[in-house]
Amino acid sequence: MANEVLKVEHLDKYYQKKHVLHDINFTISKGEVITLLGPSGSGKSTLIRCLNGLEDFRNGEITFEGKKVIPNEKNWQQLRQKIGMVFQSYDLFPNLTVLENILLGPTKVQKRNVDEVKQEVDKLLQKVDLLDYKDAYPRQLSGGQKQRIAIIRALALHPEFMLFDEVTASLDPEMVRGVLNIIQDLADEDNMTMIIVTHEMNFAQQIADRVLFLKDGNILEDTSGKEFFKNPKTDQAQEFLQSMNF
Ligand SMILES: Nc1ncnc2c1ncn2[C@@H]1O[C@H](COP(=O)(O)OP(=O)(O)OP(=O)(O)O)[C@@H](O)[C@H]1O
Ligand SMILES: [Mg+2]
């Protein structure tokens, strides 16, 4: 497919002897939003980490924009420029201000012009209502604010593809919406290609073009978002949705 961003073929992942991903196959096209759902321990984080070269895998192939993803240090540096990833913990550098945290990648790694990047970052911060916190340190921010900064930091690298792994899981309920809104805007306004792991089922239903349902390291369903939430095919997916009170 011409607009294919990422292709995963026959991916198998082991942790020592433990087989955690079984023959994973899927592709994602430009602008598509996939939510990756499944019970705890099903392999969601492991899969996400394989996709951007953070995890070694045993068999299979991952192709990003026509190039093979080979998990090693050098490749990872390059992939990180194009595949943005945000986790549950924000991992901002505590000794750097918000602005310094965000500028690091674009200016030190990508060697872009500092003034240009700063202008762009101001706009991004404005958009998420955090411009006033530009010179604050991470410890002075709430969890939700830190998570919004972590997303801005990823976006400032101009990624072509974003991975989100439970970015709202450690937030107080009142902080969740602000973070999800940024992701929703990325889908609606920027047509960003994304894979999102989330336990927020309303959000997943709202944003997903497609759902991959993972259980015990197997993709049991790969279907449109509409279909998955209306009519889950497998007992396992039905049970999962029930367990989420959905
Ligand atoms: N570094 C590791 N070493 C050994 N086993 C691991 C490691 N990381 C994860 N696992 C195992 O791999 C399986 C998949 O874990 P993973 O973290 O990918 O699940 P998950 O779907 O993201 O779960 P959760 O919803 O709780 O985040 C689990 O059985 C887990 O115990
Ligand atoms: Mg996980």
Side-chain angles (χ1 to χ4, degrees):
M1 220 192 310
N3 60 355
E4 182 178 285
V5 175
L6 183 97
K7 184 174 193 170
V8 180
E9 295 166 287
H10 302 297
L11 177 72
D12 275 296
K13 165 74 185 168
Y14 289 75
Y15 286 115
Q16 290 82 42
K17 291 211 168 115
K18 192 170 174 187
H19 196 172
V20 291
L21 293 176
H22 300 256
D23 192 23
I24 303 291
N25 295 279
F26 71 96
T27 58
I28 180 165
S29 306
K30 198 164 173 44
E32 198 174 20
V33 177
I34 289 182
T35 61
L36 177 57
L37 305 179
S40 181
S42 55
K44 304 178 298 293
S45 296
T46 304
L47 176 55
I48 290 277
R49 290 167 55 80
C50 285
L51 299 184
N52 74 343
L54 283 173
E55 287 283 353
D56 204 352
F57 45 88
R58 168 108 36 115
N59 301 315
E61 210 163 272
I62 300 174
T63 316
F64 173 68
E65 295 186 334
K67 290 200 194 86
K68 253 192 189 189
V69 173
I70 300 163
N72 64 36
E73 187 68 21
K74 185 169 152 271
N75 260 298
W76 184 70
Q77 287 290 340
Q78 286 170 354
L79 274 179
R80 225 176 62 115
Q81 317 291 312
K82 297 197 164 180
I83 307 182
M85 176 156 178
V86 185
F87 307 80
Q88 179 173 340
S89 63
Y90 343 98
D91 73 339
L92 298 171
F93 293 110
N95 56 328
L96 300 181
T97 65
V98 163
L99 184 63
E100 287 165 347
N101 263 284
I102 300 172
L103 288 180
L104 208 56
T107 62
K108 294 285 190 297
V109 182
Q110 294 183 330
K111 314 261 187 245
R112 277 158 47 202
N113 177 283
V114 179
D115 291 328
E116 267 173 42
V117 178
K118 274 187 178 165
Q119 277 185 23
E120 185 189 316
V121 169
D122 276 1
K123 279 194 202 134
L124 287 168
L125 286 172
Q126 180 101 53
K127 200 159 169 234
V128 300
D129 289 329
L130 287 175
L131 192 54
D132 292 345
Y133 291 85
K134 187 155 85 164
D135 300 314
Y137 286 87
R139 65 172 179 278
Q140 298 168 306
L141 305 183
S142 72
Q145 289 170 332
K146 277 188 273 207
Q147 198 55 292
R148 279 181 279 163
I149 295 299
I151 295 173
I152 297 299
R153 184 176 56 172
L155 294 177
L157 289 163
H158 296 168
E160 282 154 44
F161 180 28
M162 286 292 292
L163 302 169
F164 293 98
D165 190 357
E166 304 216 35
V167 292
T168 59
S170 62
L171 300 183
D172 293 334
E174 67 272 21
M175 295 287 174
V176 169
R177 196 67 242 169
V179 173
L180 296 182
N181 283 343
I182 299 177
I183 302 175
Q184 185 76 55
D185 283 352
L186 274 175
D188 296 344
E189 292 168 20
D190 302 302
N191 203 26
M192 180 68 81
T193 313
M194 300 188 269
I195 298 183
I196 304 167
V197 177
T198 181
H199 281 131
E200 301 283 335
M201 288 300 119
N202 281 310
F203 174 67
Q205 183 176 31
Q206 189 184 321
I207 201 166
D209 295 317
R210 232 166 95 209
V211 172
L212 296 184
F213 176 69
L214 205 61
K215 176 90 194 280
D216 299 331
N218 294 284
I219 295 184
L220 298 188
E221 303 206 21
D222 176 351
T223 177
S224 75
K226 247 201 187 120
E227 185 66 15
F228 182 81
F229 287 100
K230 205 176 69 195
N231 194 14
K233 286 194 243 353
T234 57
D235 292 346
Q236 290 93 333
Q238 287 167 16
E239 271 165 34
F240 170 75
L241 286 173
Q242 270 166 21
S243 76
M244 306 301 286
N245 295 318
F246 213 74

